[in-house]
Amino acid sequence: MIVGLVILVGLAGIVVPILPGVILIFAAVAVWAFLTGGTVAWVVLGLSTLLLVISGVVKYTWPGRNLKEAGIPNRTLLLGGLAGIVGFFVIPVIGLFVGFVVGVYLSEMARMPDNRQAWASSKHAIKGVGLSILVELLGALLATGIWVIGAIAA
């Protein structure tokens, strides 16, 4: 039961990046496998780990490649991230997203000749980050599903 709750907190940490979601999910499944023991538990841990690692790699490579192709510099994402952190403390929880969008847009306004181009580029960056979150969430949900099946089977 506790493992399931930690996994739920980890899933929430992926969507609202306050907690290290993937690390919590991995740790919960690893503790469960260690305490449960047996072939099923270790196979579940192995498969879950594999899915979490694959989603982690895809999370950074796929959206990153799309952003590079669109000509969006890493500086834009860095400034968006920093503004998101500030926004989180100014407007709890939703400020993270508001600050990120504002930071990305301001960074692109400084780089682009007009507002329409800056907003179009900002939307592309925001979609890239959203894709990254979805990829990580998919990997975590698949790992969670494997754990549920393993917990029932064990």
Side-chain angles (χ1 to χ4, degrees), residues 3-150:
V3 170
L5 290 174
V6 172
I7 289 173
L8 284 175
V9 169
L11 290 170
I14 291 170
V15 177
V16 181
I18 299 169
L19 300 169
V22 170
I23 294 171
L24 285 173
I25 293 167
F26 169 76
V29 174
V31 166
W32 172 82
F34 180 75
L35 294 176
T36 303
T39 304
V40 171
W42 295 114
V43 168
V44 165
L45 177 61
L47 290 174
S48 295
T49 302
L50 181 66
L51 287 168
L52 294 173
V53 168
I54 288 171
S55 69
V57 169
V58 172
K59 168 190 171 177
Y60 289 108
T61 55
W62 185 20
R65 187 173 354 114
N66 290 344
L67 294 175
K68 288 271 190 225
E69 289 172 2
I72 298 170
N74 289 335
R75 177 193 64 145
T76 296
L77 297 178
L78 176 65
L79 291 174
L82 292 173
I85 291 169
V86 170
F88 175 77
F89 291 105
V90 174
I91 309 168
V93 183
I94 65 166
L96 180 68
F97 302 108
V98 172
F100 177 78
V101 170
V102 169
V104 166
Y105 180 66
L106 290 175
S107 177
E108 289 301 283
M109 275 188 54
R111 194 173 74 85
M112 297 287 184
D114 71 45
N115 289 339
R116 273 190 281 161
Q117 286 180 327
W119 181 241
S121 182
S122 296
K123 286 193 302 188
H124 200 77
I126 293 163
K127 287 177 186 175
V129 171
L131 178 61
S132 174
I133 291 170
L134 287 175
V135 166
E136 185 176 29
L137 183 60
L138 176 64
L141 287 171
L142 290 172
T144 300
I146 288 174
W147 172 77
V148 168
I149 292 167

